[in-house]
Amino acid sequence: MNAMTSVTDSFPVEEIRALFPAIQKAGDFIFLENAGGSQVPQSVVDAVANHLIDNNVQRMARYAHSEGVDRKLAEARESVAMLVNAYRPEEISFGLNATSFIRLVSLGISKMLGERNEIVITDMDHDANIATWTALEADGAKIVWWHMREDGRLHTEDLVPLVGDRTRLVACTVTAHAIGTIVDVASVGRIAHAAGAEVFLDSVHYGPHGLIDVQAWDCDYLVCSGYKNFSPHMGFLWGRYEVLCRLPTFKEDFIPDMPPYKIEVGTFPYENVAGMNAAVLYLESVGRRFLNGENSRRAAITAAMAAIRGYEVTLSRAMIAVLKRHGATIYGISDEALLDQRVPTICFNIGGITPQDIATDMGKAGIGLRDGHMFAPRLMKRLGLAMETGAVRVSMVHYNTLDEVARFDAKLGEIIARRRG
Ligand SMILES: Cc1ncc(COP(=O)(O)O)c(C=O)c1O
């Protein structure tokens, strides 16, 4: 038995797929656009529905429905704190999406710039983690670019000379949403902190693929979005408690000046936060299939993400082999030996056929994927691609299968033959 067979055999993908009603309902349809939002297990659907039936009221009142909201928010905070390995649950704030949290943090930082006014950002990131920071130039920030190399990776040795006693913050992604590269964020944490700077991590794309560990990464802020993490639309911010205490935020006078309240002003979709709680419980249930020995919630999450990483490498390997066979230009890591440095989010072009034609033909054939700029204008420029056309992206998660990759392979062959024919 070769290594690839053994990982795919031991990963219970069919049992997992049976837990996702959208996958069951979709029949032969193939979800290859999970970077645009993953599907949710039935337990998440139930958590959202139950919240709407039992607790669709405002929090902090003295009756059972409302007390239930408070209890569920506290449970979700505990779960998400477990998911990211927070030091304490109060470090988790809930809200609408990742972008609004990046903006909230950046506005706070803009008020504390002073002598340390340099913000390091990358050209591999989603524009949500770029434009939010470049907007601070109006407040006196100086933007310093950490450029991606030709190999589609951010090399931490390139970061070292960019960081010094004027660096206020390094903001970067944990994993590129367009090309799938994983960044060595633990080294980013070390380099930035050695210079007295803070670290802001965008974990929106990494979340469904690997273990988040804010303590091991030694970062200061981290954002995630529910919809990529087997949950409905919502976002959360983790921030080191003392750092959040210092961060200036807007809040009404009646709101306590402490995390998470000073961050969570106004109402947010409580039912979707209940869904995010269920998504963490789902991941734990996946992990318990692989645990032998320690039985804590964090151990289950760790086991789940390790199993998911291993399985996803087989998906990357298979998809990259297919794309190479069809002569695709792959943006980012395609070297067999480096597959553990990427997730199965793969961006490519096929010579002589537009990304739009490929995506249209695939869509008609029941394969959902994305074409275009991937909301990353700087990255498109770096890759020499036009914003109007961009590239094609296939993005898989742990409920995708090698059989789906094979069906994609066959369809791509047909499209190339017909379009070039
Ligand atoms: C890496 C990354 N960062 C940020 C965002 C923006 O997230 P949100 O839509 O939750 O604001 C996305 C969305 O696709 C993303 O992929």
Side-chain angles (χ1 to χ4, degrees):
M1 189 191 284
N2 66 32
M4 184 151 148
T5 323
S6 70
V7 176
T8 47
D9 283 355
S10 63
F11 193 77
V13 67
E14 289 307 329
E15 284 170 50
I16 282 171
R17 288 170 72 81
L19 302 175
F20 286 75
I23 295 178
Q24 297 309 306
K25 188 172 176 186
D28 284 340
F29 181 83
I30 307 179
F31 290 96
L32 287 186
E33 217 253 308
N34 298 288
S38 59
Q39 301 308 307
V40 303
Q42 183 65 48
S43 56
V44 169
V45 177
D46 292 343
V48 175
N50 288 337
H51 191 99
L52 290 172
I53 294 165
D54 298 334
N55 304 100
N56 197 26
V57 298
Q58 188 51 283
R59 59 179 161 162
M60 293 178 179
R62 296 176 208 282
Y63 60 101
H65 295 69
S66 177
E67 284 160 0
V69 181
D70 294 330
R71 185 175 37 76
K72 286 183 175 181
L73 286 176
E75 279 171 20
R77 223 180 286 286
E78 280 278 347
S79 290
V80 172
M82 199 71 69
L83 180 73
V84 305
N85 203 22
Y87 299 95
R88 48 197 285 188
E90 298 88 339
E91 294 179 329
I92 304 296
S93 309
F94 294 118
L96 291 178
N97 55 47
T99 308
S100 54
F101 276 131
I102 307 175
R103 179 73 174 147
L104 179 146
V105 171
S106 68
L107 284 176
I109 285 182
S110 75
K111 297 198 163 53
M112 304 191 288
L113 283 173
E115 289 284 287
R116 274 191 181 265
N117 67 340
E118 294 186 0
I119 312 257
V120 180
I121 56 177
T122 92
D123 52 6
M124 198 173 78
D125 272 76
H126 190 288
D127 214 41
N129 200 29
I130 295 179
T132 33
W133 301 110
T134 56
L136 301 196
E137 283 177 308
D139 303 300
K142 182 170 169 244
I143 298 299
V144 177
W145 287 94
W146 178 16
H147 290 291
M148 183 184 87
R149 285 201 203 165
E150 285 293 313
D151 61 5
R153 292 157 69 202
L154 285 170
H155 290 251
T156 47
E157 57 267 39
D158 298 345
L159 176 64
V160 175
L162 305 178
V163 173
D165 56 9
R166 297 185 74 88
T167 311
R168 181 68 185 75
L169 179 107
V170 178
C172 75
T173 190
V174 183
T175 293
H177 71 292
I179 60 173
T181 313
I182 299 174
V183 181
D184 175 7
V185 288
S187 294
V188 175
R190 269 194 300 279
I191 294 164
H193 284 161
E198 289 182 339
V199 178
F200 185 102
L201 296 181
D202 176 347
S203 196
V204 173
H205 194 67
Y206 179 76
H209 302 290
L211 183 69
I212 299 174
D213 191 336
V214 295
Q215 297 194 31
W217 294 348
D218 195 21
C219 49
D220 299 285
Y221 304 95
L222 175 140
V223 276
C224 257
S225 241
Y227 74 101
K228 292 214 194 192
N229 285 272
F230 318 110
S231 158
H233 286 272
M234 52 79 74
F236 66 84
L237 171 74
W238 167 85
R240 201 186 280 275
Y241 192 76
E242 319 77 76
V243 170
L244 290 183
C245 287
R246 281 199 300 272
L247 187 77
T249 59
F250 163 79
K251 62 164 202 63
E252 298 105 309
D253 290 343
F254 61 84
I255 291 180
D257 194 15
M258 59 169 68
Y261 312 107
K262 63 182 278 195
I263 315 267
E264 286 177 351
V265 294
T267 305
F268 49 87
Y270 303 141
E271 63 277 16
N272 291 356
V273 173
M276 184 67 217
N277 183 33
V280 178
L281 293 170
Y282 158 73
L283 288 173
E284 285 175 42
S285 73
V286 171
R288 289 192 198 288
R289 294 163 182 260
F290 298 93
L291 269 186
N292 40 14
E294 202 195 338
N295 205 19
S296 69
R297 295 187 68 187
R298 181 66 184 170
I301 293 168
T302 305
M305 300 327 285
I308 285 172
R309 283 286 301 128
Y311 176 69
E312 287 190 359
V313 168
T314 66
L315 295 177
S316 292
R317 181 176 294 120
M319 182 58 88
I320 285 172
V322 164
L323 292 172
K324 281 184 177 167
R325 194 152 24 77
H326 288 291
T329 302
I330 298 171
Y331 304 102
I333 295 169
S334 64
D335 181 344
E336 175 79 11
L338 298 178
L339 292 184
D340 62 336
Q341 294 185 37
R342 65 141 51 251
V343 300
T345 303
I346 303 164
C347 213
F348 67 93
N349 267 315
I350 302 278
I353 310 178
T354 66
Q356 289 60 51
D357 282 343
I358 293 176
T360 304
D361 290 354
M362 287 285 182
K364 283 187 186 143
I367 299 178
L369 41 72
R370 180 167 293 273
D371 63 280
H373 54 62
M374 314 298 155
F375 319 105
R378 272 81 174 185
L379 179 63
M380 291 298 119
K381 193 164 170 223
R382 180 77 188 78
L383 296 171
L385 297 171
M387 275 293 279
E388 303 71 47
T389 45
V392 185
R393 181 184 67 187
V394 286
S395 52
M396 297 177 281
V397 291
H398 68 280
Y399 52 61
N400 288 115
T401 65
L402 290 175
D403 178 59
E404 290 178 328
V405 176
R407 285 162 52 208
F408 168 87
D409 179 11
K411 187 48 65 184
L412 186 60
E414 278 173 43
I415 293 171
I416 292 172
R418 189 160 42 77
R419 290 269 175 193
R420 284 203 186 132

